[in-house]
Structures are given as structure tokens and as C-alpha cells.
């Protein structure tokens, strides 16, 4: 048998009783002056190996009891030695931090730098699994990690920073649920308290995207995640879409997600209308000035906005007043709806692919057709070495090859360079 701390057993009990010299026992039972854990490990010599026994069962009862007590006390002494070493290191660091020179340097840095330096002094020499971080250390590390994951991995090689899994566990402790989260609006209310009036002016952006179906049981919150959930109501349908609401400042550049929901398929206009009004109401209650909404031209988005505009129109009819608003009312606050420019550009392009645009410019009627752009591209690409619009390719112009989801391709077609060259060619009379 090999006992704890590497004590080996060999020999017989008779040898232990008769042949063991008294100075050997005295030598083993003398108190050791321990300066470090390394000294303890060097002095962990086998008792039974010296007396020639192989197992503790070969000892008589009194010798076996003495052996067990010795091994127990050796373990306690090793633990005490580790504690003493740890306390000595901590005392040295405390003396360093309390020195006059160190305090003078720390007085010249801000609080975040001060806490970071103390964290490095505390954790640099520790093993990876022995490092301990305060909540402030984790929050600072989380800010760095969210700014750039690649940069955070580089900094982790230089400084003692929490592992990304530690930061992920910290985020899991935040009680975020679909729908309206009071904790987000309370935190937002505290942050905007010192803002100027103009800095509180913001817009509400919302959009949805498809996600993979994934259902699991969250045992911490005793809830099934992955089904349709709007915060105020849930269903048993599997969720494959997520809808997100985000605030963005106009005068001062800041952004903050405030709500999210899960739906089975694209969200319906009724649910979207309810979510939109609830988010705006909560934003107005905490002191924000929401003036507009921005979204794409999805069918549900258009239907929800048109319904809100219709309700506003009916409200003014009941009050016997003239409706002079461009948008809709929420808590007597006018909210102007906008569709985002990238989707408007793609909508114009997609309409031109199938329809012609009739317009009047300088009292002259004209027709804009996608065929004109195709002819211009063919003319320009006929001489590859003398191209004027080298960025235009078949994926920009040819209807069968166009990548309709690429906004950059659409903006390059409607660029100033393309438009000015087409206008010049039309004035020359050689291009219609």
C-alpha cells in the first residue's frame, strides 16, 4: 500500500519493534521548521521503508496507530505550510500596496486603472484555476471582450484576465426574459439621468431574423426555452424567428437593445403592434424622447405601422380635430415611421427589374427602365481595357445573376458615377 504523501511500506512488524533505532523515531517525530511547501516535500521520507515493512497491516496495533497519527499530522502540517506561504505572499503584496511610492502612483490614475493594477498584482503569480476576480474586474473584462474578441484573446496572453467561459457565466446570471425587462429599463433610467435633453432624443429600430429550432429545459428558471414567447404570452409552437428592438441616440451616439421575442414564423402584425407600443410607452416613462421608428419593408412591419396610423386618424375623428401628424400617437407623443434606406434602394431596384418608371423632369416626360442600365453595362464592358465603371459586373446588372440581398451591389448601380455617365451618353444622342 502507498499511503498519502508518497509514504511507502516495506519490511515486517518484528523489524519495526526490535530493529528500529530510537534515534530514527526521534528524528521522524521532531518538529520541522517549514519555510515553504518545497521544504515539506523534501522531508516527506517514508517511515515504514526505513524499518523494512511493506504494509501498515504488518505493524502491531500500537505501531499502526502511531503511524496513522504521524501521517495525519504530516498532512495537517503540509496544509498549514501552504497557508503560511500564502499569507506571507499576501502580506508582502499588502505592504507593497500600502507603501508611500505605490500610493503616490495610484493617486495619479483613475479608479478603473487602480482596480485593474490591484487585480494584476493579486492574480499574476497564481495558477490559472486559482485566480479570483471581483465583480468590477469581470465587468471590465466583459466590456473588453464585447469590443473585440480577438483583441481580448491577445490581452489575455499579457495580463491576468478572466476566461471567456467565466464571462459567459456572468451573463447567464442576468435575468433576461422575452418581452419587457424591467431590469433593462431601470438600468437605462439610471444611465440617462445625467444626460442633456437633446441627448435623450432617440429612435426605435426593430427587425426580425430566422433562427434554428432548439428546445431545451432551463432548470435554473424552471422554464422550457425554444418555444414561441412574447413575454406577456407563450404558446407550444416551436420558435424559428426572433424579433429585436433597439434604441439609438440621434444627437449623441449610443445604442441599447431593450426587448426581444421569439415567434413561430414571421411575427404577426397584431403582436408586433402590441410590442411596438409597449416598448415606446416604457421608453417614454423613464424619460427618453422617442421621435421615430426605423424598420424594413416587411409585410408585418407595414401592416403594424398602417394600423397604428389608422388608430391615430380615428382618434382625431372622435375628438373632432384635424390630423396634422405624419406618424402615429403613443401616449400623446408623435412617432414618425421610417423605412431604412438599404431596403428602399433594393425595393427601387426590384421594381425597376419588372416595371418602367415614368417621370417628368424639366417639363419633359421620360421613362426610366432597367434595360437602359443593361445596355450601358454592355457598352462599357465591350472594351475591357477602357472601362469607365470597372466595379459593375454581371452580378450587378444582369437580372438572372443579380444577388438581391447584397445592398452594396444595389448602391453601386445607383451611384453618382453610373448616373452621370448615363446622362452624358443620353445627351450625346447615341444612347437611349
Amino acid at each position: 500500500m502507498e499511503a498519502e504523501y508518497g509514504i511507502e511500506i516495506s519490511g515486517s512488524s518484528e523489524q519495526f519493534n526490535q530493529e528500529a533505532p530510537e534515534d530514527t523515531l526521534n528524528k521522524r517525530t521532531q518538529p520541522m521548521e517549514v519555510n515553504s511547501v518545497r521544504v515539506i516535500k523534501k522531508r516527506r521520507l517514508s517511515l515504514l521503508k526505513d524499518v523494512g515493512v511493506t504494509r501498515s497491516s504488518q505493524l502491531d496495533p500500537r505501531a499502526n496507530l502511531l503511524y496513522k497519527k504521524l501521517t495525519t499530522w504530516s498532512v495537517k502540517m503540509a496544509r498549514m505550510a501552504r497557508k503560511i506561504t500564502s499569507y506571507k505572499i499576501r502580506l508582502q503584496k499588502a505592504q507593497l500596496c500600502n507603501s508611500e511610492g505605490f500610493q503616490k502612483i495610484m493617486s495619479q490614475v483613475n479608479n478603473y486603472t487602480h482596480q485593474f493594477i490591484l487585480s494584476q498584482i493579486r492574480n499574476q503569480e497564481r495558477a490559472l484555476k486559482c485566480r479570483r476576480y471581483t465583480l468590477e474586474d469581470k465587468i471590465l473584462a466583459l466590456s473588453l471582450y464585447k469590443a473585440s474578441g480577438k483583441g481580448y484573446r491577445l490581452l489575455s496572453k499579457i495580463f491576468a484576465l478572466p476566461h471567456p467561459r467565466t464571462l459567459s457565466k456572468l451573463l447567464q446570471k442576468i435575468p433576461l426574459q422575452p418581452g419587457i425587462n424591467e431590469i433593462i429599463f431601470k438600468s437605462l433610467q439610471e444611465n440617462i439621468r445625467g444626460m442633456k435633453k437633446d441627448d435623450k432624443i432617440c429612435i426605435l429600430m426593430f427587425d426580425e431574423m430566422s433562427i434554428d429550432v432548439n428546445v431545451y429545459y432551463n432548470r435554473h428558471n424552471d422554464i422550457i426555452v425554444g418555444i414561441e414567447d412574447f413575454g406577456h404570452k407563450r404558446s407550444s409552437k416551436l420558435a424559428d424567428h426572433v424579433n429585436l428592438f433597439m434604441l439609438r441616440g440621434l444627437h449623441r451616439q449610443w445604442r441599447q437593445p431593450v426587448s426581444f421575442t421569439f415567434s413561430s414564423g414571421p411575427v404577426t402584425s397584431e403582436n408586433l403592434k402590441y410590442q411596438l407600443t409597449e416598448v415606446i410607452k416604457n421608453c417614454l416613462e423613464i424619460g427618453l424622447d422617442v421621435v421615430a421608428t426605423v424598420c424594413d419593408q416587411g409585410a408585418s412591419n407595414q401592416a403594424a405601422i398602417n394600423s397604428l396610423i389608422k388608430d391615430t386618424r380615428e382618434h382625431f375623428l372622435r375628438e373632432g380635430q384635424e390630423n396634422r401628424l405624419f406618424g402615429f400617437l403613443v401616449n400623446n407623443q408623435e412617432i414618425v415611421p421610417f423605412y431604412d434606406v438599404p431596403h428602399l434602394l433594393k425595393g427601387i431596384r426590384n421594381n425597376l427589374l419588372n416595371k418602367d418608371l415614368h417621370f417628368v423632369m424639366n417639363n419633359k416626360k421620360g421613362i426610366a427602365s432597367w434595360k437602359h442600365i443593361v445596355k450601358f453595362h454592355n457598352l462599357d464592358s465591350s472594351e475591357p481595357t477602357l472601362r469607365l465603371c470597372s466595379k459593375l459586373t454581371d452580378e450587378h446588372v444582369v437580372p438572372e445573376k443579380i444577388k438581391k440581398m447584397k445592398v452594396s451591389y444595389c448602391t453601386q448601380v445607383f451611384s453618382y458615377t453610373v448616373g452621370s455617365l448615363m446622362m452624358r451618353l443620353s445627351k450625346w444622342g447615341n444612347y437611349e
Side-chain angles (χ1 to χ4, degrees):
M1 177 181 113
E2 185 173 327
E4 195 167 359
Y5 287 91
I7 298 178
E8 298 177 357
I9 302 172
S10 61
S12 62
S13 59
E14 295 180 355
Q15 290 175 332
F16 182 84
N17 294 329
Q18 299 176 2
E19 299 178 4
E22 293 182 1
D23 60 342
T24 302
L25 292 177
N26 294 334
K27 180 180 177 182
R28 301 304 176 206
T29 56
Q30 286 178 355
M32 296 182 295
E33 296 181 1
V34 182
N35 295 325
S36 65
V37 178
R38 294 181 179 178
V39 176
I40 283 289
K41 290 182 179 179
K42 290 180 180 179
R43 296 191 179 186
R44 285 181 194 161
L45 301 177
S46 171
L47 290 174
L48 300 183
K49 183 178 180 181
D50 293 341
V51 298
V53 295
T54 58
R55 294 179 178 85
S56 61
S57 60
Q58 296 175 351
L59 301 174
D60 59 24
R62 294 183 63 185
N64 194 15
L65 179 62
L66 177 60
Y67 170 73
K68 289 182 179 179
K69 287 186 177 181
L70 287 174
T71 53
T72 302
W73 280 103
S74 66
V75 172
K76 291 182 179 180
M77 290 177 64
R79 291 176 180 172
M80 187 61 64
R82 287 195 295 268
K83 288 184 179 180
I84 292 173
T85 304
S86 176
Y87 287 145
K88 285 183 178 180
I89 295 174
R90 291 170 61 181
L91 181 60
Q92 292 175 358
K93 293 181 178 179
Q95 292 174 348
L96 172 64
C97 295
N98 290 328
S99 63
E100 183 179 355
F102 185 82
Q103 292 296 332
K104 184 177 181 180
I105 295 174
M106 290 297 100
S107 63
Q108 300 177 3
V109 299
N110 57 34
N111 185 45
Y112 294 105
T113 307
H114 187 195
Q115 295 297 329
F116 181 76
I117 293 174
L118 293 179
S119 174
Q120 297 305 304
I121 295 175
R122 187 172 59 251
N123 293 308
Q124 275 284 357
E125 296 182 356
R126 291 183 178 180
L128 292 178
K129 294 185 178 181
C130 297
R131 293 176 178 176
R132 298 295 180 266
Y133 302 95
T134 63
L135 180 60
E136 290 75 13
D137 296 338
K138 294 178 182 179
I139 293 175
L140 176 61
L142 183 61
S143 302
L144 297 174
Y145 183 68
K146 289 299 181 181
S148 173
K150 187 176 181 180
Y152 186 81
R153 288 190 293 271
L154 175 61
L155 291 176
S156 298
K157 298 178 181 179
I158 305 173
F159 303 105
L161 296 175
H163 193 274
R165 284 196 296 268
T166 304
L167 304 180
S168 180
K169 291 179 181 178
L170 177 65
L171 290 176
Q172 292 175 3
K173 295 180 180 179
I174 302 176
L176 293 179
Q177 301 295 334
I180 302 298
N181 289 272
E182 294 183 1
I183 185 174
I184 294 179
F185 285 96
K186 287 182 179 179
S187 176
L188 190 58
Q189 186 176 17
E190 292 293 329
N191 286 304
I192 67 173
R193 185 168 296 174
M195 283 187 179
K196 299 179 182 178
K197 184 177 180 181
D198 290 343
D199 294 340
K200 297 180 181 180
I201 300 176
C202 59
I203 60 175
L204 178 63
M205 305 180 293
F206 59 95
D207 197 4
E208 71 175 2
M209 63 177 293
S210 61
I211 57 177
D212 294 333
V213 177
N214 183 23
V215 181
Y216 67 93
Y217 173 69
N218 188 338
R219 60 186 180 88
H220 297 289
N221 298 326
D222 189 25
I223 191 174
I224 297 176
V225 180
I227 60 176
E228 191 173 56
D229 192 350
F230 296 102
H232 63 285
K233 66 177 182 179
R234 309 178 80 227
S235 69
S236 58
K237 298 179 181 178
L238 298 179
D240 56 5
H241 281 72
V242 61
N243 201 36
L244 177 66
F245 294 83
M246 177 183 288
L247 294 172
R248 184 182 181 91
L250 289 181
H251 287 265
R252 181 177 176 180
Q253 295 299 318
W254 57 269
R255 290 176 294 178
Q256 176 61 50
V258 291
S259 180
F260 66 95
T261 58
F262 297 104
S263 63
S264 178
V267 63
T268 61
S269 59
E270 293 81 6
N271 286 325
L272 181 58
K273 176 182 175 182
Y274 175 82
Q275 298 170 35
L276 189 59
T277 54
E278 288 299 313
V279 171
I280 294 176
K281 287 179 181 178
N282 281 270
C283 292
L284 296 177
E285 289 175 0
I286 65 174
L288 289 172
D289 187 8
V290 182
V291 296
T293 62
V294 178
C295 63
D296 59 24
Q297 293 176 289
S300 299
N301 298 341
Q302 294 187 51
I305 290 174
N306 291 335
S307 178
L308 289 169
I309 294 176
K310 181 180 178 182
D311 293 343
T312 302
R313 189 183 303 114
E314 293 175 354
H315 167 75
F316 280 101
L317 288 177
R318 287 193 299 268
E319 297 293 330
Q321 300 176 2
E322 182 182 0
N323 182 13
R324 296 184 177 181
L325 303 180
F326 291 98
F328 54 87
L329 285 178
V330 176
N331 283 7
N332 294 324
Q333 169 82 12
E334 181 185 8
I335 310 296
V336 181
F338 290 99
Y339 295 113
D340 58 343
V341 175
H343 281 82
L344 290 176
L345 290 174
K346 290 195 294 184
I348 295 174
R349 190 268 314 277
N350 294 340
N351 278 303
L352 281 176
L353 290 175
N354 303 317
K355 306 168 187 176
D356 294 338
L357 175 64
H358 296 261
F359 63 93
V360 178
M361 186 172 64
N362 297 329
N363 296 325
K364 294 182 180 180
K365 294 182 178 181
I367 300 176
S369 176
W370 192 259
K371 296 178 181 178
H372 298 157
I373 299 177
V374 175
K375 290 181 179 179
F376 170 77
H377 173 63
N378 293 334
L379 178 64
D380 184 51
S381 58
S382 61
E383 293 292 339
T385 58
L386 301 174
R387 293 199 60 182
L388 298 176
C389 298
S390 58
K391 292 184 178 180
L392 287 187
T393 64
D394 291 346
E395 294 178 348
H396 290 76
V397 176
V398 179
E400 295 78 11
K401 299 181 180 180
I402 289 178
K403 294 184 177 181
K404 294 188 177 181
M405 295 303 295
K406 285 281 189 179
V407 179
S408 60
Y409 283 22
C410 183
T411 55
Q412 287 172 352
V413 172
F414 293 140
S415 65
Y416 174 80
T417 303
V418 175
S420 59
L421 287 173
M422 291 183 65
M423 182 175 291
R424 180 63 59 88
L425 289 175
S426 64
K427 289 182 178 180
W428 287 345
N430 297 325
Y431 190 77
E432 296 182 358

